[in-house]
Amino acid sequence: SALGAYLDAKAVFFDPDETDGLEQRQIDLAMKNSRVIHTFNLCRSALFYRIRGQHRHPRTAKMLRYYFTAQDIHERVSSAHADYTELTDTLKNTDLIFRIRRLLEMQGQACRNVAAALRNGKDYTYSKRLGRAMEGCRQSLAHYTDDHPESRNIHHIRRLLDNLGSVDHQLRQL
């Protein structure tokens, strides 16, 4: 759930109509990041306590896998992709920026869905809609690249989408 909130805070950076208040968004993101780190520390302590036991329960192995997946997602989303103000200015009149924001929000919701499934002892089901959103971002990037081959931000956008594609892959594997 904390990771989902972090993804939501990251998504706010991709709003072309809200270019003011960057400092407040960065503070909010840092606070959400702090919450994710705190939650990871609590989970790690609980998991390692369980692992120290004589026999390992299959549920513990599953929880360990989820923990490492969440860490990987956090790493990929928290990596700095570019100057967000410049990126937003570059993309403000394209559908790509809206697709990136939507994808981040959907991935945040997927993280909350995983948390709910874990709390309720149910299996997480990957959303095919999320997969279509990821594919839509890739298609939009291809269209943007064709229309703006000289853009110096294409590398940053591509790296961002590669990371979000890895997040999508992780969620798909759960």
Side-chain angles (χ1 to χ4, degrees), residues 86-118:
E86 183 181 332
L87 199 57
T88 302
D89 285 343
T90 300
L91 298 176
K92 71 180 173 184
N93 294 313
T94 70
D95 77 328
L96 184 54
I97 193 163
F98 294 102
R99 288 179 181 274
I100 292 170
R101 180 180 176 143
R102 180 173 169 253
L103 180 61
L104 280 163
E105 289 171 343
M106 290 176 76
Q107 289 178 337
Q109 183 57 52
C111 288
R112 284 186 289 282
N113 292 347
V114 169
L118 290 171

Side-chain angles (χ1 to χ4, degrees), residues 6-155:
Y6 179 79
L7 283 157
D8 288 342
K10 189 77 165 197
V12 174
F13 285 90
F14 296 93
D15 187 336
D17 299 325
E18 298 295 326
T19 55
D20 294 337
L22 179 64
E23 186 175 313
Q24 184 56 47
R25 286 182 287 181
Q26 289 172 326
I27 290 169
D28 187 46
L29 185 67
M31 296 297 287
K32 298 284 193 286
N33 187 55
S34 176
R35 179 73 180 138
V36 170
I37 299 300
H38 175 71
T39 303
F40 279 151
N41 288 338
L42 291 174
C43 289
R44 186 183 63 242
S45 294
L47 286 168
F48 289 143
Y49 175 78
R50 287 181 181 188
I51 288 173
R52 277 189 244 148
Q54 291 285 347
H55 35 285
R56 295 186 183 148
H57 193 276
R59 181 162 167 77
T60 303
K62 179 180 177 182
M63 293 301 114
L64 196 57
R65 190 177 115 226
Y66 276 58
Y67 171 79
F68 287 128
T69 297
Q71 272 194 323
D72 185 62
I73 289 171
H74 179 254
E75 238 177 75
R76 292 184 184 282
V77 173
S78 64
S79 65
H81 302 105
D83 177 351
Y84 292 113
T85 304
E86 183 181 332
L87 199 57
T88 302
D89 285 343
T90 300
L91 298 176
K92 71 180 173 184
N93 294 313
T94 70
D95 77 328
L96 184 54
I97 193 163
F98 294 102
R99 288 179 181 274
I100 292 170
R101 180 180 176 143
R102 180 173 169 253
L103 180 61
L104 280 163
E105 289 171 343
M106 290 176 76
Q107 289 178 337
Q109 183 57 52
C111 288
R112 284 186 289 282
N113 292 347
V114 169
L118 290 171
R119 275 192 300 275
N120 297 321
K122 299 187 179 194
D123 290 333
Y124 163 72
T125 303
Y126 176 80
S127 166
K128 289 181 175 28
R129 187 170 175 241
L130 179 55
R132 289 190 300 271
M134 184 69 240
E135 186 54 33
C137 277
R138 287 184 178 121
Q139 290 171 359
S140 186
L141 175 61
H143 182 71
Y144 179 81
T145 303
D146 290 344
D147 290 348
H148 304 89
E150 74 290 343
S151 176
R152 60 190 185 105
N153 282 318
I154 288 176
H155 172 72

Side-chain angles (χ1 to χ4, degrees), residues 76-77 79 81 158-168:
R76 292 184 184 282
V77 173
S79 65
H81 302 105
R158 188 170 283 124
R159 198 169 80 209
L160 167 65
L161 287 183
D162 286 346
N163 280 341
L164 295 179
S166 293
V167 169
D168 181 67

